[in-house]
Amino acid sequence: MPNVKVLNMEGKEVGEIGLSEKIFGAEVNLPVLHTAVRAYLLNQRQGTQSTKTRSEVSGGGKKPWRQKGTGRARQGSTRSPQWTHGGIALGPKPRSYRTDVNKKTKRVALFSALSDKVSGGNLVVLDECKLDGYKTASMVKMFRALGAVKENGSDAKALLVLPEADSFIVRSVRNIPTAAATLYSTINTYEVVNAEKLIITKDALEKLTAVYDGVCDKEDND
C-alpha cells in the first residue's frame, strides 16, 4: 500500500496516510487511458458545424448561358460547387460525436491516471482546505506552497479535489487560469491526466476510496 505525506495549506507536513493499492497502485494501462480521454474530448464537441450545399445557397436559378454554341462548358447553375459563391460539395453537416465507454473501462482508466500521479510524485494529500471568503490570492499561495510550480518558476496545472461543494473555494480557484476544482464524485480521467499536480483533500480521498473499494469488492464477490 503506497503511503504519501499529508500537508496543510502552508505546505507543511502534518502526517501520513496510506493509499488503496487497487486505486492508487494499479498498473498504468495506456490504451484504456487513451480510450477514456478520447471519448471525453469527443463528447465535449457540439457538432454544430455546417456548410450549404448547392440546393441551400440562394440564387442560381437561371441557366448562365445556352447549352450549345458558346464554346464554353455547359453549365446549369451559378451555384454549382465549382463556381465562386457556389455550394460546398462535401462539407461538414451537423452530427453527433457522442461515444460511450463502459463503466469498467472508465474505472480502469481513472485508476491508471491516479496511479500514474502517485508514481510520478504528483499527488498531494491536503489536510483540509477552508476559506472564509472569496480569496484567489490565498489559493494561489496554497498551490505554490504545495509544489504546483514548474522548474522555470511558472505555475503548473493543478486540480483540487474536494469532498463537497464550497463556493468560496470553487469561485476563488475559478479565477486562476492554471487551476481547477472538482468534487471526488465527479472526477474524471481527463481532468487527472490534464493536471500536472493533483491535490486532493484528506476527506475527499477517504470518500473516493470508500466508493471505489466498495465497487471493487462487490465485483470480486460476484
Side-chain angles (χ1 to χ4, degrees):
M1 178 181 290
N3 293 328
V4 294
K5 298 177 181 178
V6 178
L7 308 179
N8 60 18
M9 294 181 68
E10 287 74 38
K12 297 178 181 178
E13 183 179 348
V14 294
E16 192 174 84
I17 190 172
L19 303 177
S20 171
E21 187 70 30
K22 294 180 180 178
I23 302 174
F24 298 95
E27 180 181 354
V28 178
N29 192 321
L30 292 179
V32 173
L33 266 177
H34 175 267
T35 298
V37 170
R38 179 177 178 275
Y40 176 86
L41 293 175
L42 283 175
N43 293 340
Q44 304 311 301
R45 297 189 66 173
Q46 292 183 327
T48 56
Q49 71 278 29
S50 181
T51 54
K52 291 184 177 182
T53 64
R54 61 180 295 173
S55 65
E56 296 170 322
V57 178
S58 63
K62 180 182 178 182
K63 188 175 175 65
W65 51 76
R66 66 179 188 269
Q67 183 81 347
K68 294 178 177 294
T70 65
R72 289 178 289 187
R74 54 192 175 188
Q75 301 290 334
S77 171
T78 56
R79 296 299 181 262
S80 298
Q82 72 270 22
W83 283 74
T84 301
H85 306 303
I88 303 299
L90 299 171
K93 282 292 185 181
R95 54 163 290 195
S96 172
Y97 289 89
R98 182 78 190 176
T99 182
D100 293 323
V101 178
N102 64 58
K103 291 182 180 180
K104 188 171 183 179
T105 300
K106 286 182 180 180
R107 191 160 60 246
V108 171
L110 180 59
F111 292 176
S112 294
L114 292 173
S115 299
D116 181 64
K117 283 291 182 284
V118 174
S119 62
N122 292 314
L123 175 70
V124 176
V125 178
L126 187 62
D127 182 30
E128 62 177 358
C129 185
K130 290 184 178 180
L131 290 179
D132 55 4
Y134 302 111
K135 299 180 179 178
T136 300
S138 297
M139 297 307 298
V140 171
K141 183 178 179 181
M142 183 195 78
F143 285 131
R144 290 176 178 171
L146 296 176
V149 180
K150 298 180 180 179
E151 293 181 358
N152 60 8
S154 62
D155 294 335
K157 289 183 180 179
L159 177 65
L160 176 62
V161 184
L162 303 170
E164 57 188 15
D166 186 318
S167 62
F168 289 153
I169 297 175
V170 172
R171 293 191 180 188
S172 296
V173 173
R174 190 184 298 169
N175 292 329
I176 307 173
T178 58
T182 188
L183 301 179
Y184 80 95
S185 56
T186 60
I187 190 172
N188 64 69
T189 302
Y190 175 78
E191 290 178 324
V192 177
V193 172
N194 188 51
E196 294 170 291
K197 185 71 72 172
L198 177 63
I199 302 169
I200 182 169
T201 66
K202 188 176 179 181
D203 289 343
L205 175 62
E206 291 173 350
K207 291 183 177 181
L208 181 71
T209 302
V211 169
Y212 285 110
D213 272 348
V215 172
C216 293
D217 291 340
K218 183 178 180 181
E219 285 188 351
D220 292 339
N221 293 331
D222 293 341

